[in-house]
Amino acid sequence: MTGSMARIITLHQPRRLEIGENAAARLGDWAADFSRIFVLATPHTAGFVGKLGLKGTVSLFDAIPGEPDIATFEAALEAARKARPDLVIGLGGGSVLDVAKLVAALWDGEQTLFDVAGPNKVAGRRTALAQVATTAGTGSEAGIRSLITDPEKGNKIAVESPYLIADIAILDPVLTYTVPPAVTAATGIDAMAHCVEAFTNIKAHPVIDGYARMGIDLVGRYLARAVRDGADTEAREGMMLASFYGGICLGPVNTAAGHALAYPLGTRLSLPHGLANAIIFPHVLAYNQPVASAKTAEIVAALGLDARAKDEGLLKAACGFCADLGVEMRLSAHKAREDQLSGFAEEAHAIRRLMDNNPRDMSVADVRAIYQAAY
Ligand SMILES: [Fe+2]
């Protein structure tokens, strides 16, 4: 079925998109008719509220950490219930945007987070939702999924619903100028991984392949530039678009083994999502190469790695791509112990919703070998 148009897919996208330098200022006009505005942010991104040109009553909740857990979500929900918003604005990276989706849908209803876990469980949404991205990586602003960490179970609660789509999304490169080089690199590779894993996916679809190609191409052209010079507007804008396209890829196709193998690194080693994916990305690309050779060749070309891959082999070339961006690629340097790798492998192998999307089957031993190679 790979590549066939015969499969029906559903594509959700924000109703309106504003892209470009200082696009954030356009939110004020769009939001002019709303009277109670609730902004979700981090202590850092809260500093951008003044750029949104908002009128009306604005309440701010800025206590969202890197990886949002249930307690963070509950606190944000509580604050929203006091503010009684008619518009919720997510102003931040994927964590903030994911929480904003759920707060907008759930603050005035009866459903709990556990009620809505899984696909299509959210009953509806009465509150408008604006998503303003301040990083280029997750593409959360483009989509209908939200991931909240359950610290007790050590896994993620995944909510997916058309009611989580934004009424307006804003991609303003100026808001990403201050993202540090290391985070720019890791999150940029994550955006690329969304495109690559959808592109080589068992459920790949020609429509999504188009977005994936555009995203990978933008990463090849702009990621190194954005890492080198954070205020390179063109490069930053290119990466925001790559991230948005990656977000579209996540909808109807989603990721595969790369993200499955990255998850234990996030939950067990507390590595940021982007970094975990950057470490794993080259290994899964190389592992899948024999069954996805034409598409892998396209990826390699788009990233400018042709000559290097011929010289050093695909794995080394792709690891070099990430390392050249400043990513520390060895798990041992991120406090992993060798005796943890088998446990990680069992755990990643069990994430069937993603592993089953991979074009080449992976046994627990295969997964363990990848962690070992990355160690
Ligand atoms: Fe990701």
Side-chain angles (χ1 to χ4, degrees), residues 24-35:
R26 297 204 168 180
L27 188 57
D29 283 341
W30 180 85
D33 294 336
F34 295 97
S35 50

Side-chain angles (χ1 to χ4, degrees), residues 190 194 259 273 277:
D190 183 37
H194 298 155
H259 268 64
H273 176 84
N277 275 288

